[in-house]
Each structure stands twice: as C-alpha cells, then as structure tokens.
Amino acid sequence: PGYSSVVLSAANTNSTQFNNAQRIVRDSKGNLYFAYHKTYSSYLQIFVAKSCDNGDTWSNTGEPIKEISGYNQKYPSLAIDSNDHLHIVWEGEDKDSGGNSQIMYCEYDGNLWREVDVVDSSSNDQHAPAIAIDKNNELHVVWFEGTTSQIKYAKGPLWTTPALISSNLGSYEQKYPNIAVDNENNLHVIWQGKATSYTSYDTVWYATQTIGWSTPVCLQTSGQNTDPTLRWSRYPASNGITSRVEYVF
C-alpha cells in the first residue's frame, strides 16, 4: 500500500506549481532531494529538502539554497549527475534583470551550493525551466519565453546561446516544456501549444535533437491536451514516442 509523508507544513499554495519539471531525485546512496519555492523574508526563494529514509522524514535547514534578497525566485527543476552533484534551474529576478524573469542555475557539489549563474538573461521574461543531464554529465535546459511564447533550449554548464526549437510553429503560444535524454544522449522535448490547423485548443508537441533539432510534430491532434511530461525508460514504453521514450499529459 502507498503512504504519504509531510515534506513541509508551511508551504505556499504554488510551491510545486507546473507539471513540466522534475523536482525530486535520488542519489547513489538512496537519499532523496526535493526542490520547491516558498516565501522567505517577504520574497519567494528556492529550497531543497533531503530525506535519508526513503521519504519517511525530510530535513531542511530553513535557509534557501542561495538567497537573492529582494527578488522572487520560483518554479525550480532539479537533476542529479553521476557524481551525486545536484543541479537546479529556476525562474527568477535579480538586480541586473530589469524586472524580467531570467533562467537561473546553481550546482551543489556535495559540500556547498556554488554561485548562481544565469542561463538566459534576455530582455523578455523567461518561464518554467526544466533540466535533464546526459551520461556525460552535460546539462540540458528548456523553457519558454514570455513575449514570443516560444520554446528555448541551452546546454551547460558553459551555457550556449539559447536556441529556439518551436519557431516554425509561427506566432502561436508554446509553453511548459519538459526534456528527457535517452541512452544515446539524444534529446527529447515535449510541450503544449497551438499551431496552424490546431488553433482551438492546446495540443501536445514533440521535437528531438540528434545533430540538429527536428521539426516539431503534434502527438495529440484533437481536444484540449496540456501539461505533458516525458521520460526515457529502460524498458519498452507503454505510451511511447519511441520504443523507450514515453509521455503522459
């Protein structure tokens, strides 16, 4: 039978809002880590809780991983590499952002959280990032831009110039992407959006990168379909895009 445990009793109502991003990971010792945001000194900040007993109890220092005082930080996505280092991205502002949300990044090296880096500091708002890590410990992040409502991608930790992967869908809104990496380091991205011939409802879109990004394809052609997420599976997928990449929405 299943059971539940309390991670945090004084959370914000939207501490884990949006279904597009992974927020819980397990390290090689079986410890669990969970990312969320909550109000701290009047502003939203990013926190990570840890469980050493398979989720029965959770510990948290009560301090954000890196306080950016006076600015909101929200909607984190968490991943872990083969060295048990945590990598986290989120949407946030700072003194240099001009009031726009940027995509922020930070790494936990097993001892401390390193300095915050900016993945995308474009003049437009950037929203809802999701992160995945490949077998070479390279980082892959997707998100959507608020003004153009297009899906963007960057590779780290030496962050590349963001690439648009949904631009051929025109000016229709694309949002809430999720990303997975398969066993051959191919990237798979899924999101919700509209396009020509699909203007009445949001539908589910998919693109992959082997050498370059493929043309997006519509996976669900009728009705309202939102909040997709996907994963690479060791076993044959039940709702598969490929034999090992499956998705839900």
Side-chain angles (χ1 to χ4, degrees), residues 20-21 75 77-79 87-91 102-106 118-120 126-134 138-144 151-157 159-165 177-181 187-189 213:
N20 68 301
Y75 311 136
S77 177
L78 186 64
H87 301 267
I88 189 168
V89 291
W90 68 90
E91 168 189 333
Q102 305 177 125
I103 303 304
M104 319 290 272
Y105 162 77
C106 194
V118 178
V119 178
D120 188 357
Q126 314 297 319
H127 298 298
I131 187 171
I133 300 179
D134 66 27
E138 293 185 314
L139 313 178
H140 304 276
V141 178
V142 290
W143 66 96
F144 75 94
I151 306 301
K152 302 175 77 174
Y153 161 82
K155 178 181 176 180
W159 297 105
T160 58
T161 300
L164 291 178
I165 64 177
N178 183 242
I179 187 168
V181 185
L187 305 180
H188 305 267
V189 177
W213 285 102

Side-chain angles (χ1 to χ4, degrees), residues 59-102:
S59 63
N60 193 303
T61 63
E63 301 287 332
I65 61 170
K66 285 286 184 179
E67 183 183 6
I68 303 179
S69 181
Y71 298 92
N72 286 318
Q73 317 299 316
K74 53 190 177 181
Y75 311 136
S77 177
L78 186 64
I80 192 166
D81 66 25
S82 62
N83 299 312
D84 282 344
H85 290 192
L86 300 177
H87 301 267
I88 189 168
V89 291
W90 68 90
E91 168 189 333
E93 304 172 17
D94 64 15
K95 62 181 179 62
D96 299 317
S97 67
N100 294 313
S101 294
Q102 305 177 125

